[in-house]
Amino acid sequence: MKDKTFKMFSFHCVHQYILKLSSAVLICFILIFNNCVQHEKTTGSPPFVISQEQVSSFVRNFNPLIPSGSSRWPTVSGIYEPLFIYNSMTGIYVPWLATGYEWKDGNLQLDVTIRENVTWSDGQPFTAYDVSYTFNLKKTNAALDPRASWGYLKSVEAINDHLVRFKFLRIFVPGLHALTEQSIIPKHIWENIDDPVKFTNPNPVATGPFTEILRFDHQIWELGRNPHYWQEGKPAVERLRFYAYPTNEQATIALINGEVDWAGNFIPAIDRVFVGRDPENHHYWFPRVGGSIFLYVNTTKQFLDQVEVRKAISLAINRELIVRVAMYDYTIPAHPTALADGLAPWRSPTATENGDWVEYDIERANEMLDNAGFKKGPNGIRLLPDGKELFFDISIVSGWSDWIRAAQVISQNLKLVGINTRVKTRDFGAWLSSMQNGEFDMGIAWTEKGPTPYRLYRGLMSSEFLKPVGETAEVNWHRFASDEVDSLCVAFEKTSDKEEIKQIIYRMQEIFVDNAPAIPLFAEPSWGQYNTKRFTNFPTEKNPYAQISPNYPPENLLVLVNVEPK
Amino acid sequence: MSTSIQYLLRRLGFYAIAAWAALTLNFFIPRMMPGDPASIIFARFRGKLNPEAMVALRETFGLTDEPLLGQYFTYLKNLLSGDLGISIAYFPQPVTEIISTALLWTIFLAGTSLIISFSLGTLLGTLAAWKRGGRLDSFLPPALAFFGAFPYFWLAMVALFTFGFGLGWFPLRHAYGDAVTPGFNLPFMIDAIYHAFLPALTMVMVSLGGWMLSMRNTMITTLGADYITFARAKGLPSKMVMLKYAARNAILPNFTGFGMALGFVLSGALLTEIIFSYPGQGYLLLEAVRAQDFPLMQGLFMTITLAVLGANWLVDIAILFLDPRTRR
């Protein structure tokens, strides 16, 4: 009898009870949550939601000086401001906390005029003494000087409230860029900080358009307007909001759902996936202001050490196909000088003409390899002088699917000219260390970026960062150096004369095109998406007042002060 | 009783040695990975930082060229004083601070789903074995084995897509919503449960079958034992026979398994946390490995190691009470 009742209990009651309970709980949750959402929607004007950092949870850090990028995104592109902002769309230094600069004493002295009537967000006046304090703090803390400014600076001194004088150890004109883009911090706050390197600066006092932390939780935080901002009537946006999206997929879903107003993600098939969802409001713009993406070949390896071979490899690559298959036609094949649209005014006509090796011409590639003395073996693969078949790895970071597809195209292309390759994917750390140590055959990677092509060519061809195989080289992974480029770099560092600079850059391009130290593949687009449902006045192709991508601080300041609620 | 204490102390000694070995591996294995943290952070800027920045980066993180053995002793010394160092990826946040927030969410999510899945699975296993061949016994095990065969991240993605993205019943991400303030208040707690529901559900669905099957199988063996027949013959109530005689003995292997699983809770349900953007330990670990954040990795591995060992020790104690044979 007892057995029977227990059976009844176990088979009917438990089942039914669990079922009823769970559905009741479910309905409760849904009701409660819906109420919460409705409640939230009624308060205040809409926040401007930005998705740039992909993190699982936010850490409250607003230190604009530490180089590791571990402070929150707006720290150097909305909270703290630099002296000038380089606008990569126009190529102009926009005066920001400074109003002008002047080279003096044969380029050994730089006088910068500081803007008047600027106040810190706590109401204190901003002066040239804050600027000199910022730079001198970097002198005493090498960790805060990622641009190694004190390698060429002698002193930084405020002459009066509105004039700062930079004195140089040696002539180094390109140093101007690093000096202008330095975020300026308030002396009256930071002089009381014991260790500025480990200071997390939880409540920033700054000059930027947004300075007030309205809320800070690990998954969401909000940044409000600076009550004392120096630009009258700006910013028009009341507050910025940031959500923690740990992965690109999560960020993309939020963007598609219309929860994000401004983002800089890579989205596959964006016209269908993102724009198609709301064609009226969902927009993107991928200007090619970044650098170029390269196929690096290790010039210390037999075969790859020959200029003609590298040019032949380049000729064998079908860049149109790569751009279509790997990059969804978001970009275009690389220019022979590797200068993308943003640096197009610098292109040398001679170099452009000589750089015909970025075209797609299998026949010519085969011919060049034949002439170089690498005959095809019985399998159709070319042989080294010792009779071994050519075989190279193309190293790519695992999971970087766009570049993996590009490498697969290259691998197929190279087979047609008798070079056997294998696409080898590796974890980021392992990949990076093999590239930096020169222990690779071929690999796809980026280049250095800057306002002029100087940094690009210096990184690709000067001996300054050249290291023997086995030692870590931060740039110049392919290990190529030219004495002429070294002397051109020195000449470039010494001059502020526009015509002279142009001639130097032209000559660098010619050397690049003659030697093919690395093989440019396609221009690197800068990703930018925006939603015009709640906000307007984003930079667009028709109104390119700045570049749209939020991934380029401090240029993003230009967008933040111009975006307006609808 | 003194033999029991001796037994526990002996186990404790064993765990101490195991902890030391694990902590030593924690130190050396991450450092055997190719690359170094400063280079990786530099490379993440993809050309936006000059090579000159490397000096500043190494200076910031205090990376030294000190011999590894010297670093190892400093590491041990710091560990003993509870200093886990400063994270590199989240510079300059102390590792203890980063781990403590993630730890709570992981314990909440993975811990709750483990307890639900263990107790529900064990209960269902007991019932199924008690009435072998019944409806519960013939229907549930294959169904649960079916769900258990799915990789849990796959089930999580399907659940997220259907109930989150498609139907919009559940939130798509995070441990709590924007409208609530974290703290000891009712709306926050309800919201936290609401956010944990879907990830916890997928984890329970996948692991339930294992608990139920193992319980059912041991239970069936136990039910064949002479003392069960004797208990029945004595005329004891069947509920008592089932729970106090059969289940108590049959639960021992499951209980050991529970201890193991409890320890592994801290390693986080890595993929579930990533899919639901849940701010727990699992995702943190992935980030730490990607950035070669040695201090954070060491801290995370240490909490996991200590949790596994601690949970095992607790199981040792529990078994001592459940199983008189160990007391001899």
Side-chain angles (χ1 to χ4, degrees):
Chain A
M1 208 46 206
K2 275 201 168 146
D3 240 313
K4 194 96 179 166
T5 46
F6 189 76
K7 185 184 144 195
M8 291 289 288
F9 170 76
S10 66
F11 290 115
H12 284 273
C13 302
V14 170
H15 244 148
Q16 300 247 316
Y17 182 68
I18 290 173
L19 209 77
K20 273 183 192 157
L21 186 77
S22 52
S23 48
V25 167
L26 202 100
I27 290 164
C28 276
F29 282 151
I30 292 168
L31 284 179
I32 291 164
F33 185 71
N34 284 344
N35 279 339
C36 288
V37 169
Q38 272 159 15
H39 174 74
E40 205 242 345
K41 270 178 186 161
T42 51
T43 53
S45 79
F48 186 58
V49 181
I50 304 172
S51 155
Q52 198 275 336
E53 296 182 277
Q54 286 171 6
V55 291
S56 60
S57 72
F58 291 118
V59 170
R60 188 164 185 160
N61 183 345
F62 297 102
N63 184 334
L65 301 181
I66 49 173
S68 68
S70 50
S71 46
R72 301 283 58 75
W73 171 81
T75 308
V76 290
S77 52
I79 299 178
Y80 290 92
E81 294 179 313
L83 298 173
F84 293 85
I85 297 176
Y86 178 73
N87 185 332
S88 57
M89 294 313 297
T90 58
I92 288 171
Y93 283 99
V94 182
W96 211 253
L97 289 182
T99 51
Y101 65 85
E102 199 182 342
W103 285 105
K104 285 184 174 165
D105 191 15
N107 293 344
L108 269 172
Q109 182 183 321
L110 180 73
D111 281 359
V112 178
T113 334
I114 302 301
R115 188 178 292 278
E116 294 179 29
N117 301 321
V118 175
T119 37
W120 294 101
S121 53
D122 62 356
Q124 300 265 350
F126 160 81
T127 66
Y129 293 95
D130 292 309
V131 180
S132 64
Y133 175 77
T134 305
F135 282 96
N136 285 306
L137 190 66
K138 289 155 72 74
K139 186 183 188 178
T140 41
N141 292 279
L144 303 179
D145 191 13
R147 284 164 161 144
S149 304
W150 285 97
Y152 49 84
L153 281 178
K154 196 164 105 193
S155 68
V156 180
E157 200 187 341
I159 304 300
N160 56 44
D161 273 2
H162 300 289
L163 183 69
V164 177
R165 181 159 294 160
F166 296 87
K167 285 200 169 151
F168 284 65
L169 277 175
R170 58 184 169 96
I171 301 174
F172 191 72
V173 177
L176 173 72
H177 185 67
L179 301 182
T180 56
E181 292 214 325
Q182 175 61 47
S183 294
I184 305 300
I185 50 163
K187 177 170 186 259
H188 65 279
I189 303 282
W190 286 69
E191 61 190 357
N192 304 320
I193 305 301
D194 291 334
D195 186 354
V197 182
K198 293 199 175 125
F199 179 44
T200 55
N201 195 18
N203 295 300
V205 170
T207 59
F210 298 94
T211 53
E212 308 303 297
I213 314 295
L214 302 177
R215 166 178 192 190
F216 203 98
D217 290 319
H218 291 291
Q219 298 183 345
I220 173 178
W221 70 279
E222 284 188 357
L223 186 62
R225 270 198 288 230
N226 176 354
H228 300 280
Y229 195 48
W230 54 275
Q231 292 193 56
E232 203 67 37
K234 286 182 173 178
V237 172
E238 201 171 281
R239 60 205 165 112
L240 312 179
R241 183 183 279 182
F242 303 87
Y243 293 102
Y245 303 120
T247 61
N248 199 37
E249 287 73 29
Q250 281 280 358
T252 305
I253 286 182
L255 191 65
I256 295 170
N257 271 351
E259 295 165 36
V260 172
D261 298 301
W262 187 25
N265 301 338
F266 172 81
I267 301 177
I270 192 164
D271 281 311
R272 180 171 55 83
V273 171
F274 172 63
V275 178
R277 196 77 182 200
D278 183 358
E280 207 171 299
N281 293 315
H282 288 183
H283 305 281
Y284 69 91
W285 181 33
F286 299 157
R288 292 173 288 269
V289 290
S292 287
I293 298 299
F294 276 83
L295 176 71
Y296 286 104
V297 290
N298 192 336
T299 63
T300 62
K301 300 244 162 164
Q302 194 183 11
F303 184 70
L304 299 177
D305 55 358
Q306 302 193 15
V307 177
E308 292 305 300
V309 166
R310 294 197 294 267
K311 288 184 177 171
I313 288 175
S314 174
L315 280 164
I317 295 172
N318 186 348
R319 291 176 173 76
E320 296 281 349
L321 188 65
I322 290 177
V323 164
R324 195 164 67 242
V325 171
M327 301 304 295
Y328 298 92
D329 271 329
Y330 294 163
T331 180
I332 52 167
H335 191 265
T337 60
L339 301 178
D341 294 3
L343 296 172
W346 292 95
R347 285 175 189 161
S348 141
T350 330
T352 308
E353 202 174 305
N354 294 347
D356 54 354
W357 47 267
V358 299
E359 286 155 18
Y360 176 48
D361 192 340
I362 294 277
E363 218 167 284
R364 224 179 107 203
N366 267 318
E367 207 175 288
M368 282 171 86
L369 291 171
D370 287 340
N371 293 343
F374 298 97
K375 297 279 175 267
K376 279 188 182 170
N379 300 329
I381 303 298
R382 289 179 193 277
L383 306 174
L384 286 169
D386 62 4
K388 264 207 287 192
E389 283 189 353
L390 287 176
F391 179 78
F392 298 108
D393 280 327
I394 308 179
S395 310
I396 312 285
V397 178
S398 47
W400 291 14
S401 51
D402 45 346
W403 288 6
I404 292 173
R405 285 195 299 274
Q408 281 160 348
V409 172
I410 293 171
S411 181
Q412 285 162 10
N413 288 160
L414 291 183
K415 198 133 216 178
L416 297 177
V417 294
I419 302 172
N420 206 3
T421 54
R422 175 180 62 179
V423 178
K424 190 174 170 191
T425 61
R426 312 184 69 177
D427 190 56
F428 185 75
W431 172 84
L432 182 69
S433 124
S434 74
M435 296 296 283
Q436 290 185 329
N437 291 335
E439 288 153 353
F440 69 101
D441 299 331
M442 302 184 190
I444 298 180
W446 56 86
T447 43
E448 264 198 276
K449 298 168 182 70
T452 67
Y454 154 75
R455 272 174 66 183
L456 166 73
Y457 293 125
R458 183 188 66 159
L460 285 173
M461 302 188 292
S462 96
S463 63
E464 195 177 345
F465 303 103
L466 188 72
K467 293 273 168 65
V469 170
E471 275 180 40
T472 307
E474 306 312 336
V475 291
N476 204 343
W477 300 342
H478 51 285
R479 284 154 166 85
F480 176 91
S482 143
D483 293 339
E484 197 185 344
V485 173
D486 286 348
S487 51
L488 284 171
C489 283
V490 173
F492 181 89
E493 287 161 11
K494 290 203 163 145
T495 180
S496 56
D497 179 75
K498 287 218 169 77
E499 187 53 35
E500 205 181 333
I501 290 175
K502 194 170 100 181
Q503 291 311 322
I504 292 169
I505 299 288
Y506 274 15
R507 184 66 202 129
M508 284 179 170
Q509 293 174 46
E510 286 161 26
I511 299 170
F512 175 79
V513 163
D514 289 345
N515 292 291
I519 300 166
L521 293 176
F522 49 84
E524 188 180 4
S526 69
W527 312 117
Q529 296 91 10
Y530 57 100
N531 187 336
T532 53
K533 197 170 177 182
R534 294 173 288 264
F535 296 91
T536 168
N537 205 21
F538 289 93
T540 60
E541 212 159 353
K542 288 188 190 114
N543 179 20
Y545 65 82
Q547 69 154 310
I548 180 72
S549 173
N551 305 336
Y552 289 81
E555 204 181 332
N556 306 135
L557 264 166
L558 298 173
V559 180
L560 282 181
V561 296
N562 280 305
V563 168
E564 291 164 7
K566 244 181 175 171
Chain B
M1 211 52 205
S2 69
T3 44
S4 312
I5 289 170
Q6 224 171 24
Y7 166 78
L8 284 179
L9 285 178
R10 209 169 50 232
R11 300 294 292 169
L12 205 59
F14 166 75
Y15 288 138
I17 294 171
W20 168 77
L23 293 177
T24 304
L25 287 177
N26 273 356
F27 176 82
F28 286 104
I29 288 180
R31 280 169 179 75
M32 275 151 68
M33 284 163 62
D36 74 289
S39 285
I40 284 183
I41 284 181
F42 169 75
R44 288 210 187 281
F45 284 89
R46 293 177 69 152
K48 279 182 256 174
L49 215 57
N50 305 27
E52 286 91 341
M54 282 305 291
V55 182
L57 283 171
R58 298 187 70 88
E59 182 86 16
T60 309
F61 303 137
L63 299 174
T64 55
D65 294 328
E66 200 192 336
L68 216 51
L69 208 64
Q71 289 184 44
Y72 171 66
F73 285 117
T74 332
Y75 156 78
L76 281 188
K77 203 180 78 198
N78 288 345
L79 266 191
L80 288 178
S81 56
D83 176 13
L84 299 181
I86 285 171
S87 163
I88 290 173
Y90 294 96
F91 187 85
Q93 219 72 11
V95 168
T96 38
E97 230 170 85
I98 298 172
I99 291 182
S100 60
T101 34
L103 199 62
L104 287 178
W105 285 115
T106 294
I107 289 176
F108 171 63
L109 176 66
T112 318
S113 39
L114 173 68
I115 289 169
I116 291 176
S117 141
F118 170 75
S119 14
L120 199 63
T122 309
L123 181 72
L124 288 174
T126 312
L127 293 176
W130 187 250
K131 199 69 205 172
R132 237 179 309 162
R135 261 196 295 170
L136 191 73
D137 191 33
S138 41
F139 167 70
L140 260 191
L144 288 178
F146 176 72
F147 279 119
F150 287 116
Y152 64 82
F153 64 88
W154 188 83
L155 208 62
M157 278 200 291
V158 172
L160 181 70
F161 188 78
T162 328
F163 300 110
F165 192 74
L167 296 169
W169 289 358
F170 288 96
L172 292 173
R173 64 188 77 87
H174 293 166
Y176 53 89
D178 326 328
V180 297
T181 20
F184 224 68
N185 56 67
L186 192 67
F188 168 69
M189 286 191 281
I190 289 173
D191 203 46
I193 295 172
Y194 179 60
H195 276 74
F197 192 85
L198 215 49
L201 183 75
T202 56
M203 276 152 69
V204 169
M205 289 259 282
V206 169
S207 54
L208 197 57
W211 296 120
M212 177 177 173
L213 283 181
S214 81
M215 185 60 193
R216 175 185 168 272
N217 295 346
T218 347
M219 182 86 174
I220 284 171
T221 320
T222 320
L223 283 176
D226 290 344
Y227 60 87
I228 301 289
T229 325
F230 178 68
R232 279 185 201 262
K234 255 198 326 190
L236 288 174
S238 64
K239 202 170 171 183
M240 194 174 179
V241 177
M242 179 175 84
L243 296 177
K244 289 232 163 126
Y245 279 69
R248 184 179 167 183
N249 285 298
I251 207 171
L252 290 174
N254 246 23
F255 215 80
T256 317
F258 177 72
M260 298 287 284
L262 199 64
F264 284 112
V265 157
L266 287 201
S267 64
L270 189 116
L271 294 164
T272 309
E273 283 177 7
I274 292 173
I275 290 165
F276 290 96
S277 307
Y278 210 82
Q281 289 244 96
Y283 189 74
L284 206 56
L285 184 60
L286 183 75
E287 271 188 344
V289 172
R290 274 199 197 143
Q292 296 210 346
D293 188 344
F294 298 145
L296 188 54
M297 266 192 273
Q298 282 161 4
L300 286 167
F301 284 132
M302 193 193 78
T303 54
I304 295 167
T305 312
L306 294 185
V308 172
L309 294 177
N312 272 297
W313 197 61
L314 287 179
V315 169
D316 279 345
I317 296 177
I319 297 249
L320 212 55
F321 285 102
L322 281 173
D323 187 355
R325 284 170 297 182
T326 48
R327 269 177 253 164
R328 246 184 287 134

